[in-house]
């Protein structure tokens, strides 16, 4: 078994501890393991897809710099989501103020398909538009819970809030989405 294969088989915490001691190869494995998932998270919570690569890169740079202070009070993945969340918020603050309705992009599906595909696309467009209207914490909480299936405690850590606040965000977000997307109910 090669050295890289051995690293690939190690859990995140072990790799993070090795990276804390300066093992760049261990950190490279963590980047490769978590970059696609972090990119999807950022892409779903930040309105400009063109900037997502930069935000994810800034997240990993910040992670490398802050790794010596990582105390393993949470999972490494949770810590990365928290860093990505902060970097996304920073990027949102740097943006020019825009009307989120104007910045919500519709992604038409170019594939021909039956009516169900058209209805699904309409639903996804409406869902994306409604999520774009939400404040960042509500949008991030929804994605972390509904798509990435993170536990409430981890979401609270990522968003620097309490589990009760996350529950409230999710409840209000789900209620709003149920109301605004009621036309899509079967």
């Amino acid at each position: 078994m090669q050295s890289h294969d051995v690293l690939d088989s190690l859990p995140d915490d072990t790799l993070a501890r090795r990276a804390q001691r300066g093992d760049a190869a261990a950190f490279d494995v963590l980047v490769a393991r978590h970059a696609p998932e972090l990119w999807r998270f950022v892409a779903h919570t930040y309105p400009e897809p063109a900037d997502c690569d930069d935000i994810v890169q800034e997240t990993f740079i910040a992670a490398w710099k802050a790794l010596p202070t990582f105390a393993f009070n949470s999972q490494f993945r949770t810590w990365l989501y928290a860093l990505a969340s902060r970097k996304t918020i920073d990027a949102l603050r740097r943006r020019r103020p825009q009307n989120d309705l104007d910045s919500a992009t519709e992604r038409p599906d170019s594939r021909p398909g039956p009516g169900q595909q058209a209805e699904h696309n309409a639903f996804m467009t409406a869902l994306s538009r409604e999520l774009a209207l939400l404040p960042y914490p509500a949008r991030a909480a929804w994605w972390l819970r509904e798509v990435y299936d993170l536990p409430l405690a981890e979401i609270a850590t990522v968003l620097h809030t309490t589990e009760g606040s996350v529950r409230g965000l999710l409840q209000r977000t789900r209620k709003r989405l149920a109301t605004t997307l009621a036309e899509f109910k079967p």
Side-chain angles (χ1 to χ4, degrees):
M1 195 181 264
Q2 294 179 338
S3 170
H4 197 285
D5 293 335
V6 171
L7 288 176
D8 283 340
S9 68
L10 295 175
D12 286 354
D13 284 350
T14 303
L15 290 169
R17 288 183 195 285
R18 290 179 71 150
Q20 275 184 326
R21 293 189 302 269
D23 187 341
F27 190 74
D28 288 345
V29 171
L30 289 167
V31 170
R33 187 177 290 173
H34 293 286
E37 162 180 301
L38 276 182
W39 191 91
R40 282 191 300 277
F41 170 66
V42 171
H44 290 302
T45 58
Y46 189 78
E48 289 296 324
D51 296 334
C52 293
D53 288 335
D54 292 338
I55 294 169
V56 171
Q57 183 175 6
E58 288 174 19
T59 299
F60 282 114
I61 290 169
W64 177 253
K65 289 178 179 177
L67 199 53
T69 62
F70 179 54
F72 295 90
N73 295 330
S74 65
Q75 291 182 20
F76 181 79
R77 175 184 76 161
T78 304
W79 183 66
L80 275 180
Y81 275 117
L83 289 174
S85 179
R86 283 195 294 275
K87 293 298 178 185
T88 302
I89 290 169
D90 290 346
L92 286 168
R93 287 180 181 144
R94 287 191 303 264
R95 288 183 76 219
R96 291 182 287 125
Q98 289 180 332
N99 181 345
D100 279 342
L101 278 177
D102 294 337
S103 66
T105 57
E106 293 189 33
R107 298 182 186 119
D109 189 358
S110 60
R111 297 176 292 164
Q116 288 180 332
Q117 184 65 35
E119 188 173 318
H120 174 74
N121 289 343
F123 171 75
M124 293 307 291
T125 299
L127 176 63
S128 293
R129 186 174 38 251
E130 289 302 320
L131 287 170
L133 294 173
L134 295 171
Y136 176 80
R139 186 169 56 239
W142 188 88
W143 278 102
L144 290 170
R145 181 69 186 142
E146 302 299 336
V147 176
Y148 297 105
D149 200 29
L150 262 65
L152 295 178
E154 286 189 43
I155 297 169
T157 300
V158 168
L159 298 178
H160 297 287
T161 190
T162 64
E163 285 185 53
S165 293
V166 170
R167 268 190 220 89
L169 284 170
L170 289 171
Q171 183 180 18
R172 287 187 300 278
T173 300
R174 289 172 182 149
K175 184 177 180 180
R176 177 179 172 161
L177 292 175
T179 301
T180 58
L181 301 174
E183 70 184 88
F184 294 100
K185 284 188 179 179

